[in-house]
Amino acid sequence: MSLPKPHITPDSFFHKTSPPACLAPSPSSCPTTIYFISGNPGLISYYHPFLSLLSKNLTSASSPGQNSFHVFGHSLAGFELEPAPSPKTNAGTEKVKTKQPPGTSGDYYYNVEDQIRFVQARLEAHMAALRTESASSSASASGTDAPSQRPRVILMGHSVGTYIAMEVLRRHRENQTTTTTAAAAAGDSGFDIVGSIMLFPTVMDIANSPAGRKLTYLLRFIPQLALVVSLFARLLTSILPNSIIRAAVRSVMQSPPETAVDATTAFLKSKRGVRQALHMGADEMRTITTDKWSDDVWGVSKAKEGPQPQQQLLTRLFFYFGRNDHWVAEQTREEIIAARGAVQNGPKMIVCEESLPHAFCLRHNETMANKVADMVQEILE
């Protein structure tokens, strides 16, 4: 399996950044992968402007000795707008197809657990391809068999993507604990997750948020809400011309950028997207409840005496909360900050003072790209 070429498609984003030639890293170094996990609806196309600006910022912020970056993200399972690639194509990590659990039908809709496994599989496939490419480049340049630097990953999630990121981090650490050194070097666990950036995080008690309470009420009142809404959306998009649909989207979303109109229109017209989003949203209300992660996942464990195995390095976490976030209750945010943010050398908790909305990817991409680029640099210091 090889890495895909840099691209922007409705279902995927992959960009390689490099510092200026005078600051280029040594051939034995390995790019730092920034893996982005979208919120719900899980269309990566909503984040294309943000990820493009982030890539640009990371390039301009490069300093001597700084690695290059791979900025990578993919739509969540069930939200894909394009057909799966042909097995004959050399699409690299694009070959990781959306797999349904055994024994399910073609109408299966993915829950939060399915998305965690889907993201984990894509991340591991990307890192396996990166290790192969880096080892080949290192051998060509210096005659060594592998890069001197262990591959590094920074997970970045938005909304429910932050919950998925926390679970991927937990499972990755557990896999490293139970995997032998030799197997880790050869398998998919041979990389370190050195940082996680959580944007408008819904990691606890989402059902207690203002929007969560409304959705919970609707689900009780209309048990088949996902089916009803999806059928209504399909009816409207089948009888209305595209121009009217786009005009309605602009009106409801209060004249967003055309990229957001494109993404929303494609989402509404997709065969499964609307029902997938509501099905997953209902599962989020049941799944995202109490804090279920240990101190080491939160990055607050005290270092033990003596040298530590590389795979036990703590991950640096950044949490960026909004104010009056309709998906994060004010009380929930304050409880998280009090319980986890007050620990010395623990996760860094930031509360937005600029009134940025939960859906920052509609109109505030430049602001968030600047903030996230600074977080990335701080993680790698």
Side-chain angles (χ1 to χ4, degrees):
M1 179 182 292
S2 60
L3 284 172
K5 295 180 180 179
H7 61 268
I8 298 178
T9 74
D11 294 327
S12 186
F13 180 98
F14 180 44
H15 186 82
K16 296 180 180 180
T17 75
S18 298
C22 60
L23 302 178
S26 66
S28 61
S29 64
C30 190
T32 298
T33 295
I34 299 176
Y35 191 99
F36 182 79
I37 309 168
S38 69
N40 184 7
L43 278 73
I44 197 67
S45 52
Y46 277 119
Y47 304 93
H48 285 164
F50 165 68
L51 295 174
S52 297
L53 289 167
L54 175 61
S55 300
K56 180 181 178 181
N57 289 348
L58 292 174
T59 299
S60 62
S62 297
S63 57
Q66 177 69 63
N67 269 350
S68 57
F69 294 92
H70 283 181
V71 181
F72 182 64
H74 194 277
S75 294
L76 295 178
F79 290 96
E80 295 93 339
L81 299 175
E82 295 182 332
S86 167
K88 296 181 180 179
T89 62
N90 182 24
T93 55
E94 298 302 310
K95 288 184 178 180
V96 181
K97 297 181 180 179
T98 306
K99 296 182 179 179
Q100 296 179 191
T104 59
S105 68
D107 293 330
Y108 182 81
Y109 291 89
Y110 300 86
N111 59 27
V112 175
E113 175 62 26
D114 296 327
Q115 302 294 359
I116 295 167
R117 295 177 181 179
F118 177 75
V119 169
Q120 191 172 22
R122 279 203 169 271
L123 173 61
E124 291 176 349
H126 182 86
M127 297 310 295
L130 175 60
R131 286 196 303 276
T132 299
E133 181 179 275
S134 298
S136 177
S137 299
S138 179
S140 299
S142 60
T144 60
D145 293 331
S148 59
Q149 184 188 70
R150 185 176 170 90
R152 299 183 298 181
V153 171
I154 296 175
L155 294 177
M156 178 166 51
H158 173 229
S159 193
V160 69
T162 62
Y163 179 87
I164 296 172
M166 290 291 285
E167 274 296 292
V168 169
L169 174 58
R170 177 183 69 80
R171 297 175 194 201
H172 179 75
R173 292 185 65 85
E174 290 176 354
N175 288 343
Q176 287 187 319
T177 301
T178 58
T179 304
T180 65
T181 303
D188 287 337
S189 293
F191 59 90
D192 292 319
I193 300 178
V194 298
S196 292
I197 299 173
M198 312 299 189
L199 305 178
F200 301 89
T202 56
V203 294
M204 286 174 52
D205 297 329
I206 190 172
N208 289 332
S209 67
R213 288 195 295 268
K214 293 177 182 177
L215 179 57
T216 300
Y217 173 78
L218 285 173
L219 289 168
R220 289 175 180 171
F221 186 68
I222 311 174
Q224 296 298 321
L225 180 67
L227 176 61
V228 171
V229 175
S230 65
L231 289 175
F232 182 69
R234 186 176 301 182
L235 175 64
L236 288 182
T237 54
S238 64
I239 63 176
L240 296 177
N242 194 61
S243 59
I244 294 181
I245 297 173
R246 293 178 65 87
V249 169
R250 290 191 189 95
S251 177
V252 172
M253 299 179 70
Q254 300 179 346
S255 302
E258 284 302 298
T259 53
V261 175
D262 293 340
T264 304
T265 302
F267 166 66
L268 293 174
K269 296 177 69 174
S270 64
K271 183 178 180 181
R272 296 166 52 86
V274 173
R275 187 172 179 181
Q276 173 61 60
L278 288 169
H279 175 86
M280 182 175 165
D283 190 56
E284 291 171 35
M285 300 303 109
R286 296 186 293 265
T287 303
I288 304 177
T289 54
T290 58
D291 181 358
K292 56 191 68 176
W293 300 289
S294 60
D295 285 352
D296 66 314
V297 175
W298 283 95
V300 298
S301 294
K302 295 181 180 179
K304 299 178 182 179
E305 296 182 359
Q308 297 297 303
Q310 191 168 11
Q311 62 266 31
Q312 295 303 317
L313 293 175
L314 292 178
T315 301
R316 298 191 66 182
L317 272 61
F318 281 73
F319 282 75
Y320 190 90
F321 291 96
R323 289 197 181 277
N324 301 312
D325 188 335
H326 56 285
W327 285 110
V328 181
E330 299 287 291
Q331 181 180 348
T332 299
R333 183 193 69 213
E334 295 306 313
E335 288 176 353
I336 294 173
I337 293 174
R340 296 297 187 177
V343 180
Q344 186 177 7
N345 298 322
K348 187 171 183 179
M349 304 286 182
I350 305 167
V351 180
C352 178
E353 300 295 345
E354 301 171 55
S355 301
L356 297 184
H358 186 89
F360 73 89
C361 56
L362 298 183
R363 294 182 176 84
H364 300 85
N365 292 297
E366 185 172 1
T367 300
M368 285 308 304
N370 291 337
K371 293 178 180 293
V372 169
D374 291 340
M375 295 178 198
V376 170
Q377 297 298 329
E378 188 170 341
I379 287 171
L380 297 178
E381 285 179 353

